[in-house]
Amino acid sequence: MGQVIQRIRSRLKRKKRCTVSVQEDNSSNLDSRMLSNATKATKAISILSQEIVDLETLPPDINGKTLAEAACLLNREDLMRVAFDNGCDFKRSDIKGYSSLHLSAAWGWKNSIKFLVDSNHDVLQKTSLGETPCDLARRYDQTACVEILRKAEARQELSDFINEMKEMVSDPNKWQGKLSKEEQKQVLTACNAKQEWLSNNYNKVILDDIVKVRSDLQAAVAAAVAKLQIAE
């Protein structure tokens, strides 16, 4: 994986811009080992360049995953949107656990990363080596991408905590006899308020703001969590 990334990055330094044309062979901008072979890569780019993409009529050697990877490698948000709208699976990972977001993070493709983050891609997904997309971006010195992904990680961690707490106090079998109705209501109210804040303010705030909101929520529900854990 490391050698592949280094070779692609050196190629891209020699090319200021990657253009897409159905008549032009674009395989030099991709890596054959990422998309099986240069022919498949060129086919995928050609299909993504069409005004209308019908996945049901794709050639047998082109599937949704190939289109998703091609769009990410091209760093073309418009093509990614076409692929996404037509059912391409950006979340699917390869045998080593690399998803489209992992590849985009390693190469430093900000447009691809922003699209995938906005599409609720799992930013905490790990490869077989235990690396998240942010870990890969950090390893290959993609500083701007690290900032985007760290913020996305904080959002997902906050969302996961909110969902965990809401699930816990929404199930009577988990909280009845352990919490009062007022305590259960307080937890739900706190979680709903933070969830609304996150939905309305994510693009306006910085990483530290999200971390603080999570810390505040944890403090607000700490007493209830302690009761639930003791009761177990």
Side-chain angles (χ1 to χ4, degrees), residues 77 101 109-119 148:
E77 183 179 347
L101 185 55
W109 292 140
K110 289 173 60 177
N111 290 344
S112 296
I113 290 172
K114 288 179 180 178
F115 176 85
L116 294 170
V117 166
D118 290 343
S119 301
I148 296 171

Side-chain angles (χ1 to χ4, degrees), residues 65-125:
K65 184 176 185 297
T66 299
L67 289 175
E69 289 176 341
C72 286
L73 290 172
L74 288 169
N75 197 32
R76 289 282 302 275
E77 183 179 347
D78 55 338
L79 299 184
M80 292 177 70
R81 193 168 298 281
V82 170
F84 181 81
D85 290 344
N86 283 273
C88 290
D89 188 0
F90 285 91
K91 296 183 179 181
R92 180 179 173 187
S93 58
D94 63 19
I95 193 171
K96 294 183 179 180
Y98 292 99
S99 66
S100 297
L101 185 55
H102 283 97
L103 300 180
S104 298
W107 279 306
W109 292 140
K110 289 173 60 177
N111 290 344
S112 296
I113 290 172
K114 288 179 180 178
F115 176 85
L116 294 170
V117 166
D118 290 343
S119 301
N120 295 317
H121 196 292
D122 183 2
V123 297
L124 299 176
Q125 183 179 352

Side-chain angles (χ1 to χ4, degrees), residues 21-216:
S21 170
V22 294
Q23 289 83 26
E24 180 183 354
D25 183 352
N26 296 276
S27 60
S28 62
N29 298 316
L30 302 170
D31 187 274
S32 60
R33 283 188 287 178
M34 290 294 176
L35 295 173
S36 298
N37 55 61
T39 300
K40 179 182 283 192
T42 303
K43 280 185 181 180
I45 296 167
S46 177
I47 291 169
L48 284 179
S49 300
Q50 296 175 13
E51 184 175 350
I52 299 176
V53 180
D54 185 358
L55 296 184
E56 294 183 359
T57 62
L58 290 177
D61 60 337
I62 300 292
N63 56 30
K65 184 176 185 297
T66 299
L67 289 175
E69 289 176 341
C72 286
L73 290 172
L74 288 169
N75 197 32
R76 289 282 302 275
E77 183 179 347
D78 55 338
L79 299 184
M80 292 177 70
R81 193 168 298 281
V82 170
F84 181 81
D85 290 344
N86 283 273
C88 290
D89 188 0
F90 285 91
K91 296 183 179 181
R92 180 179 173 187
S93 58
D94 63 19
I95 193 171
K96 294 183 179 180
Y98 292 99
S99 66
S100 297
L101 185 55
H102 283 97
L103 300 180
S104 298
W107 279 306
W109 292 140
K110 289 173 60 177
N111 290 344
S112 296
I113 290 172
K114 288 179 180 178
F115 176 85
L116 294 170
V117 166
D118 290 343
S119 301
N120 295 317
H121 196 292
D122 183 2
V123 297
L124 299 176
Q125 183 179 352
K126 295 183 178 181
T127 66
S128 59
L129 296 177
E131 290 183 299
T132 64
C134 190
D135 291 333
L136 278 177
R138 187 178 291 109
R139 176 147 66 96
Y140 290 101
D141 298 321
Q142 307 293 357
T143 305
C145 297
V146 170
E147 293 177 1
I148 296 171
L149 289 165
R150 284 186 65 203
K151 183 179 176 182
E153 285 182 342
R155 176 177 65 176
Q156 186 167 325
E157 288 167 350
L158 174 57
S159 294
D160 288 347
F161 181 72
I162 290 172
N163 292 334
E164 179 184 357
M165 291 305 305
K166 290 178 70 174
E167 180 183 357
M168 187 179 298
V169 298
S170 294
D171 184 351
N173 293 325
K174 293 183 178 180
W175 70 268
Q176 281 185 346
K178 306 168 187 176
L179 301 177
S180 67
K181 288 186 177 180
E182 183 60 29
E183 289 172 322
Q184 184 254 4
K185 182 179 178 181
Q186 288 174 350
V187 171
L188 283 177
T189 298
C191 288
N192 287 334
K194 299 306 183 185
Q195 193 168 50
E196 182 177 0
W197 176 87
L198 188 59
S199 298
N200 294 334
N201 296 283
Y202 179 73
N203 292 323
K204 307 173 187 176
V205 299
I206 61 175
L207 169 65
D208 290 345
D209 295 327
I210 301 174
V211 172
K212 183 179 185 305
V213 166
R214 184 186 177 195
S215 177
D216 291 344

